[in-house]
Amino acid sequence: MSNRILLRGGHVLSMDPDVGDLPQGDVLIEDGKIVAVQREISADAEALDMTGRIVIPGFVDTHRHTWEASIRNVAPDATLDDYFVDILDTFAPLYTPEDVYAANLAGSLECLNAGITTLVDWSHINNTPAHPDAAIQALKETGIRAQYAYGSANTSLADYWFESRIAIPGDDVRRIRETHFASDDGLLTMALATRGPGFCVNDVVTAEWALARELDIPITVHVAMGRLAGRFGMVRQLSDLGLLGPDTTYIHCCYLHEDEWQMVADSGGTVSIAPQVEVQMGHGWPPVMKAVEYGLRPSLSIDVVTTVPGDMFTQIRAAFGAERARVNADCWKANMPVPDSMLTARQLLEMATRNGAHVAGLEHRTGSLTPGKRADVVAIDATALNVAPVHDAAAAVTLSADVSNVDTVIVDGVVHKRDGRLVADVDRARRLVQESCDRLLAAKEAKSAA
């Protein structure tokens, strides 16, 4: 017997140009798949009343170090340089598999609560072989759609992030691929989270790219975050090594040279931008419109909750404000009018949904409310005082709504949030992540005192 859900009477923003927007419409879900999006649908199904709700595809976070949920806000004023020392060289070596499990459990539930239905978990915390298993187990338990990106260990900043000669262990990556990701058709898929040129010697860079391509998994790498990394010319180095390709996502890109932007575009690469981190920690201006200028489809990501909020609404507003501030300042300085082609609220909603699915390699499954795709759906309460009245539904989502307005969250046809409450053991997740936090802080103090 099929499982059918009918979302009835919402303001539907499908993010599919062929389906369009429906100021009042229905979405029919059957066995985890969207089967119809129409003005009115009659069906024998569990009906969820979406009156007063804006129905959108789930947000896609294309880069989050989910393991850091245990140490939320430990570095609120950090720069990028501070982060390397305070987080990667101080806390990361102390992480046990139990800490990773607790953080990924709480962190992915945090995503679901905020309407993020797809997550790229950039997991550079694989201090032992048990660490990736713990991270993946937590992702499985929450039911989020996720791309698990296997990263390096973080037992020493000097060993892993400065001209590193230590490659990600190929045998363990192969084990994880075979054990957890034998198929690419599941709710969880796999990627390789690489450090790249400047952080690793060329032999390590080449070995890690070869490993990903041997296993037919995508690659995700930070580039040009801050002037120092910009000077590395990381994309140019990858080009010189013959490694550019459509399987690679470039994160941040704040100080890419013009020729590097062209290299990314020509190779079919994709881009993930974390606007709040970039403006706050000194990475550079979030290059959302620069990516668009080169024909790319930039996505948005959270990055680190050690320093910034973990929701997509924050990233949308940071990108919107930063880009328009940059253009306004440049126009003022040049004594010229502001162009009509400035970034729009609607573009940002597309970046947070459809573009995100494209960057994660999952646009055939999610990112828009398209019949035939998997049912990853979010409903925003538009009757709340911070959202109503709604004149422009896309603007209401991007510029007015927040996590408190996320009323309903569905992933692969399963309801994970209903009437504003997570359908999960939140108390257990909170207890485990608090215990992890307490243990890590105690271990840090003990280390400092030794």
Side-chain angles (χ1 to χ4, degrees):
M1 183 176 179
S2 64
N3 179 29
R4 306 177 95 196
I5 299 173
L6 179 62
L7 307 180
R8 178 173 286 159
H11 190 138
V12 179
L13 301 180
S14 74
M15 305 313 294
D16 180 334
D18 293 331
V19 175
D21 297 346
L22 301 175
Q24 183 171 329
D26 297 349
V27 179
L28 180 61
I29 298 165
E30 184 171 352
D31 294 333
K33 183 170 70 175
I34 298 170
V35 295
V37 181
Q38 299 172 8
R39 294 190 182 280
E40 188 171 356
I41 299 171
S42 296
D44 181 12
E46 176 190 2
L48 302 184
D49 186 4
M50 293 289 113
T51 303
R53 306 293 184 262
I54 301 171
V55 180
I56 63 172
F59 294 130
V60 181
D61 176 358
T62 54
H63 150 242
R64 178 192 295 240
H65 307 299
T66 319
W67 63 268
E68 295 176 11
S70 297
I71 49 174
R72 185 188 308 278
N73 292 331
V74 298
D77 307 314
T79 64
L80 178 59
D81 289 342
D82 295 333
Y83 170 82
F84 273 96
V85 175
D86 297 344
I87 306 303
L88 298 187
D89 206 36
T90 300
F91 279 105
L94 304 174
Y95 262 71
T96 67
E98 291 75 22
D99 294 317
V100 174
Y101 172 83
N104 265 33
L105 186 73
S108 49
L109 286 177
E110 174 189 7
C111 288
L112 291 170
N113 188 57
I116 295 169
T117 57
T118 300
L119 164 68
V120 177
D121 179 22
W122 219 98
S123 192
H124 58 335
I125 191 62
N126 291 324
N127 300 344
T128 73
H131 283 64
D133 292 297
I136 295 163
Q137 180 60 36
L139 295 174
K140 288 179 178 177
E141 289 180 14
T142 62
I144 195 168
R145 189 180 303 280
Q147 183 183 83
Y148 173 75
Y150 188 115
S152 66
N154 265 315
T155 54
S156 165
L157 185 62
D159 287 344
Y160 285 96
W161 288 95
F162 293 99
E163 291 295 311
S164 179
R165 297 181 178 277
I166 305 174
I168 291 174
D171 287 346
D172 198 53
V173 176
R174 294 182 185 93
R175 177 186 67 84
I176 291 295
R177 174 68 156 144
E178 181 178 346
T179 303
H180 298 286
F181 303 101
S183 168
D184 294 324
D185 296 329
L187 203 58
L188 301 185
T189 55
M190 187 178 179
L192 196 70
T194 58
R195 291 154 292 168
F199 296 108
C200 300
V201 299
N202 284 348
D203 287 349
V204 169
V205 174
T206 302
E208 293 186 351
W209 253 256
L211 175 63
R213 287 167 178 168
E214 170 200 328
L215 298 176
D216 194 26
I217 57 176
I219 300 159
T220 174
V221 60
H222 301 83
V223 299
M225 62 286 201
R227 293 181 181 178
L228 178 60
R231 292 191 198 105
F232 290 168
M234 296 172 74
V235 171
R236 191 179 298 121
Q237 289 190 57
L238 289 170
S239 178
D240 291 343
L241 293 169
L243 298 177
L244 298 182
D247 56 355
T248 304
T249 296
Y250 304 92
I251 301 165
H252 298 310
C253 306
C254 301
Y255 281 91
L256 281 188
H257 302 276
E258 297 294 336
D259 64 331
E260 291 183 297
W261 277 111
Q262 193 63 58
M263 290 173 189
V264 171
D266 290 346
S267 66
T270 57
V271 172
S272 173
I273 296 170
Q276 184 67 35
V277 156
E278 289 156 7
V279 296
Q280 185 172 325
M281 294 180 70
H283 295 52
W285 287 112
V288 286
M289 287 306 290
K290 176 64 75 173
V292 171
E293 288 169 11
Y294 277 89
L296 295 160
R297 297 172 57 191
S299 64
L300 303 179
S301 60
I302 276 69
D303 202 344
V304 294
V305 298
T306 58
T307 310
V308 304
D311 66 278
M312 192 58 71
F313 302 103
T314 294
Q315 302 309 320
I316 288 170
R317 283 161 206 165
F320 195 62
E323 175 61 21
R324 292 176 76 94
R326 183 190 65 79
V327 172
N328 284 324
D330 287 349
C331 291
W332 175 267
K333 186 176 180 180
N335 194 28
M336 59 184 290
V338 175
D340 293 332
S341 58
M342 288 181 75
L343 183 65
T344 68
R346 180 77 181 214
Q347 281 178 292
L348 281 161
L349 184 56
E350 185 168 3
M351 290 177 192
T353 55
R354 193 175 178 187
N355 282 15
H358 164 69
V359 170
L362 296 170
E363 194 172 8
H364 61 297
R365 294 184 197 169
T366 190
S368 63
L369 302 182
T370 301
K373 287 190 179 183
R374 304 305 296 175
D376 298 348
V377 189
V378 167
I380 304 294
D381 180 4
T383 68
L385 286 174
N386 63 308
V387 183
V390 175
H391 299 289
D392 178 325
V397 174
T398 55
L399 301 180
S400 295
D402 58 38
V403 173
S404 71
N405 307 121
V406 177
D407 176 83
T408 305
V409 176
I410 298 171
V411 181
D412 212 46
V414 177
V415 178
H416 287 275
K417 190 174 186 180
R418 187 189 294 263
D419 298 328
R421 297 182 66 86
L422 277 176
V423 183
D425 192 345
V426 176
D427 290 340
R428 175 176 177 265
R430 184 166 43 232
R431 174 177 57 80
L432 290 176
V433 81
Q434 183 64 59
E435 290 171 355
S436 172
C437 175
D438 293 344
R439 195 201 71 78
L440 289 164
L441 290 173
K444 174 179 178 285
E445 290 301 316
K447 182 179 179 181
S448 299

